[in-house]
Amino acid sequence: MALRTIRIQGDPVLEKKCREITEMTPKLQTLIEDMLDTMYDAMGVGLAAPQVGILKRVVVIDVGEGPIVMINPEIIETSGEQTGDEGCLSLPGKAGCVTRPNYVKARFLGEDMQEYEIEGEELLARAICHELDHLDGHMYTEKVEGPLHEVKYEED
Ligand code: NI
């Protein structure tokens, strides 16, 4: 298990557009494993490569239904609307209200570099939108409605 340092808002790497991935390599496989470890360690539901300082189009998501790895993801369909709290591991301890589609269909490459589609509603739809925004240098704070508020986590 290898944890990577999560970049915090203000780090210029979070404002850059990420590059498409053309092939699976041992280095990319390690990055994906480290991103999953880092996401679970931070108790997040998603993490995008720029958040660990790598400008490549790959995200990991787990909304409680198992890990999803998406390479070169793109949203191909959306519908509906949901408004609710959203947070980001690059802005720890804060959350803000963001409106997102309630349904998202996305196309991506899996770790086998084959093409897949995924449909998500509610939290999964929100996570897909949030993580894909990171790949184009965007944070949820650009879309937030009203002020950010502090989030307090309960201790185990
Ligand atoms: Ni984020």
Side-chain angles (χ1 to χ4, degrees):
M1 160 153 171
L3 300 180
R4 304 222 181 178
T5 303
I6 298 176
R7 306 301 183 92
I8 302 301
Q9 191 174 38
D11 189 318
V13 79
L14 293 171
E15 294 163 18
K16 295 193 158 70
K17 198 171 159 67
C18 296
R19 289 181 299 273
E20 295 260 326
I21 290 166
T22 53
E23 58 172 350
M24 179 54 68
T25 61
K27 206 172 158 185
L28 178 59
Q29 193 64 57
T30 301
L31 170 67
I32 290 167
E33 286 165 19
D34 290 355
M35 284 173 63
L36 284 164
D37 289 343
T38 304
M39 174 183 74
Y40 289 125
D41 180 72
M43 291 183 291
V45 299
L47 190 71
Q51 293 184 275
V52 293
I54 306 292
L55 290 170
K56 288 186 175 162
R57 301 187 81 82
V58 56
V59 307
V60 297
I61 291 173
D62 189 339
V63 294
E65 296 162 3
I68 302 165
V69 176
M70 301 170 84
I71 295 167
N72 299 344
E74 49 183 329
I75 290 170
I76 54 174
E77 201 180 315
T78 65
S79 69
E81 206 176 86
Q82 57 174 321
T83 300
D85 259 1
E86 197 163 313
C88 180
L89 294 175
S90 293
L91 195 50
K94 304 271 187 201
C97 193
V98 182
T99 297
R100 299 282 192 184
N102 196 52
Y103 164 89
V104 167
K105 185 194 265 190
R107 183 177 294 150
F108 62 99
L109 301 178
E111 289 174 90
D112 56 4
M113 296 302 278
Q114 299 300 304
E115 195 172 284
Y116 295 93
E117 284 183 2
I118 188 170
E119 294 178 295
E121 293 185 319
E122 297 173 7
L123 180 58
L124 180 55
R126 179 179 292 283
I128 291 170
C129 294
H130 178 115
E131 299 312 329
L132 269 60
D133 276 354
H134 276 299
L135 301 182
D136 291 314
H138 298 297
M139 293 273 294
Y140 79 94
T141 46
E142 296 165 43
K143 296 183 167 143
V144 82
E145 298 151 29
L148 295 178
H149 57 267
E150 308 251 330
V151 184
K152 296 210 165 55
Y153 295 100
E154 308 225 340
E155 299 288 329
D156 284 331

